[in-house]
Amino acid sequence: MFESQPGIVARQEVDDAQGKDLAASSQVDAGQAALDAAQSQLSVAKAKLGHDQSLFDYSRITAPFSGIVTERYANLGTLVQAGTTSSTQAMPIVKLSQDNLFRLVIPVPESYVRYIHLGDPVDVRVPSLNKTFPGKVARFSVDVKEATRTMHTEVDVPNRDRALMPGLYADADVALEHRDDIPTIPLQAVNHEGNKTTAFVVGNNSEIEDRPITLGIQTANDAEVVSGLVEGETGGRKRPKRPEAR
């Protein structure tokens, strides 16, 4: 307007308006710079907050599962090292035990490995408590250790009433295979002569015969008889020969 129609507005007023515009623009630039500086300071403050929060988290111990502290390694005032890497020899603070579910490790001999399956029932007998607890095969390795010829097998045993305690001695009965129509006999009644396996049986004429048999699954006390015996037959012991009189 001033350039198209000079003289309408005084030159002084135009110069004042332009000066104010430049001052306002400078203030905007200064405000933007102050905003950038404030945002930088905010980022620094957030970084420091995160650093301080990380340091504060070291003072808080969080358990990975619910349980009971069974042993304490550090007392009040003890210097605790930061176990941030596996190479450090930092001592743990406490020992935590999960008491509602116990794990029993069983070395299964290689001759019985083929009978182990996930979910198989296991009866766990604890002599000190005079009780039997039900468990199940939860996991097992797929290889047999060369040193012991056994397979690592783990059994999970629920402990809802908190009767079990860590470290108790236990016996485990694992059902390898179940058959209803196969007789079993004590191992003491089995005779081994070379490659021949026999058992003494009372025949129909009430005489004892040494009958060949084929064994199946064997336990510490009994053996499964696959063939050679019929359920209901009576076993016997062969009488030693009397010395002849001279």
Side-chain angles (χ1 to χ4, degrees), residues 41 52 61 99 113 183-184 216 226 235:
Q41 293 178 359
D52 295 341
I61 302 174
D99 59 347
V113 165
T184 59
V226 178

Side-chain angles (χ1 to χ4, degrees), residues 56-110:
F56 179 75
D57 290 340
Y58 282 108
S59 64
R60 181 181 302 170
I61 302 174
T62 303
F65 54 84
S66 299
I68 296 177
V69 175
T70 58
E71 191 169 355
R72 185 177 65 179
Y73 300 99
N75 297 319
L76 183 63
T78 303
L79 177 62
V80 179
Q81 299 179 5
T84 55
T85 61
S86 59
S87 60
T88 60
Q89 301 297 325
M91 180 180 295
I93 299 176
V94 295
K95 181 178 180 181
L96 188 65
S97 175
Q98 185 179 10
D99 59 347
N100 62 342
L101 182 65
F102 275 65
R103 179 174 300 163
L104 181 66
V105 178
I106 303 176
V108 177
E110 62 176 331

